[in-house]
Amino acid sequence: MAVTVSNTYSLSMIYAGFKRVGTWWNYKNVISPFYRLYYIEKGNGKVYINNISYELTPGTLFLIPKFTFHSYECDDFMDHYYICFFDDLTGNAGIPNPMQMNLKVTAHSMDFDLVKRYLELNPYKHLMVSDPQHYDNDRMIYESHEEKISFCTSRLMESNGILLQLFSRFVTEESVRKVTANGSYGKLDLAVQYVNKNLDKHISIVELADLMFITPDHFSKVFKKIIGIPPCEYIQMKRIERAQALLLTTNMSIMQIAESVGICNPSQFTRLFTKIAQCSPKEYRARQLSV
């Protein structure tokens, strides 16, 4: 069995800034379709992921992967810089295995300068309010639009380069590894790409199996063995992941979003969304994402 690794990643920042948090920074079960990257300057805090406690201490970088339930805690205060971003909005697949990344690393000597420079290049991107119960949920901070200031190509390249450099601190071989193999296994990636590109359409196991020139039963067995879940469950998960991103990044109605991810029945969409995201689409959109 062979391993292939893609080295092309495109990161799309949605907000960045500096924040001092206090004992009120204790939000529970936060989940987002984007990454949060922290540089801790002063003070201390904690993040809980999968019942594991991570200490946030000065001079460290911390990453919260996308679609990861997490909780915050601060006993006194913590000064930190944050950058929040997508890795899969430009058509690329993103990091294949985000939870295999190193979540906490010691910052390099230059990282603090890189973070400050990134904020200089991207002003006016901070969240105005952090409290999830009072945050105004202004969708404009998530939407792709031109900067109010002149943003020349060289500055854009520098900004993208800094974010990739900081993000690289967390990458492991396991996190970017895409498993392929000879024979039928080697064509599984074609089926995965087809799913990601056609979430707005009906996707049948038969047509996915045809891409690999195997029977539907054999395809289902191969898919579950490599991906870890049945193909129908994978398709449902990807539909809801796309819906979560659209709820945060667009002003589309819930019905429009349901149709855009291939679920035309509103009740069915709400049931599936609630099952996977543990809240309704309306609640998810209204939920305030705290930094």
Side-chain angles (χ1 to χ4, degrees):
M1 185 172 293
V3 173
T4 60
V5 178
S6 170
N7 60 3
T8 302
Y9 295 101
S10 178
L11 308 180
S12 304
M13 185 269 291
I14 49 176
Y15 48 80
F18 169 84
K19 187 70 177 180
R20 167 170 284 198
V21 299
T23 55
W24 50 265
W25 199 66
N26 59 358
Y27 309 124
K28 307 299 182 184
N29 297 323
V30 179
I31 185 171
S32 311
F34 51 80
Y35 291 86
R36 286 174 165 85
L37 189 158
Y38 295 148
Y39 175 88
I40 314 304
E41 184 180 27
K42 297 178 182 178
N44 294 272
K46 288 182 181 179
V47 171
Y48 295 88
I49 298 177
N50 294 332
N51 295 320
I52 299 175
S53 173
Y54 295 89
E55 297 282 344
L56 306 186
T57 55
T60 60
L61 289 167
F62 191 78
L63 185 74
I64 300 177
K66 60 184 179 180
F67 297 109
T68 301
F69 275 105
H70 59 282
S71 299
Y72 305 105
E73 185 176 293
C74 183
D75 294 330
D76 188 8
F77 81 96
M78 183 180 73
D79 290 347
H80 70 287
Y81 295 83
Y82 59 87
I83 305 173
C84 302
F85 55 93
F86 292 102
D87 71 339
D88 55 4
L89 283 191
T90 59
N92 293 332
I95 298 294
N97 308 297
M99 286 307 298
Q100 295 299 316
M101 303 179 79
N102 289 323
L103 303 186
K104 178 182 175 181
V105 297
T106 300
H108 291 188
S109 58
M110 69 178 72
D111 287 338
F112 183 49
D113 292 332
L114 287 174
V115 170
K116 289 199 297 182
R117 176 57 179 164
Y118 190 85
L119 265 61
E120 290 175 3
L121 293 168
N122 297 277
Y124 317 118
K125 288 291 188 177
H126 60 282
L127 282 172
M128 300 302 295
V129 182
S130 294
D131 190 335
Q133 296 182 0
H134 298 92
Y135 175 48
D136 192 33
N137 202 20
D138 181 2
R139 213 85 67 221
M140 291 299 293
I141 65 172
Y142 298 103
E143 294 176 356
S144 299
H145 58 86
E146 294 184 1
E147 297 289 346
K148 295 179 180 179
I149 60 174
S150 175
F151 208 89
C152 65
T153 301
S154 62
R155 293 182 66 191
L156 180 62
M157 292 175 65
E158 181 182 359
S159 180
N160 292 341
I162 289 175
L163 184 52
L164 280 169
Q165 189 170 351
L166 292 170
F167 193 46
S168 73
R169 305 284 191 257
F170 305 94
V171 173
T172 64
E173 291 300 315
E174 292 77 16
S175 66
V176 297
R177 189 170 291 164
K178 185 186 297 183
V179 179
T180 61
N182 296 325
S184 61
Y185 292 91
K187 294 184 174 63
L188 183 60
D189 192 50
L190 293 176
V192 171
Q193 291 181 30
Y194 182 87
V195 169
N196 291 330
K197 292 178 180 178
N198 293 277
L199 291 174
D200 60 328
K201 304 179 180 66
H202 173 74
I203 302 173
S204 72
I205 302 302
V206 172
E207 58 188 330
L208 294 177
D210 286 345
L211 291 172
M212 297 177 59
F213 303 104
I214 56 179
T215 66
D217 285 344
H218 188 198
F219 169 79
S220 295
K221 292 177 182 177
V222 170
F223 191 98
K224 185 175 182 179
K225 181 176 181 180
I226 300 298
I227 303 299
I229 57 177
C232 288
E233 185 177 338
Y234 177 84
I235 294 170
Q236 290 180 340
M237 181 183 69
K238 288 301 176 181
R239 292 192 196 280
I240 299 308
E241 285 185 4
R242 178 72 57 80
Q244 287 176 293
L246 292 174
L247 283 166
L248 289 181
T249 60
T250 76
N251 289 315
M252 295 170 63
S253 70
I254 292 176
M255 185 62 207
Q256 289 174 322
I257 291 174
E259 292 176 349
S260 72
V261 298
I263 306 175
C264 297
N265 185 310
S267 298
Q268 180 186 358
F269 173 71
T270 298
R271 285 196 301 270
L272 181 60
F273 190 100
T274 302
K275 176 182 177 182
I276 294 177
Q278 300 187 0
C279 65
S280 71
K282 184 177 180 179
E283 290 170 337
Y284 185 85
R285 173 168 268 177
R287 176 185 293 175
Q288 315 311 334
L289 299 172
S290 61
V291 177

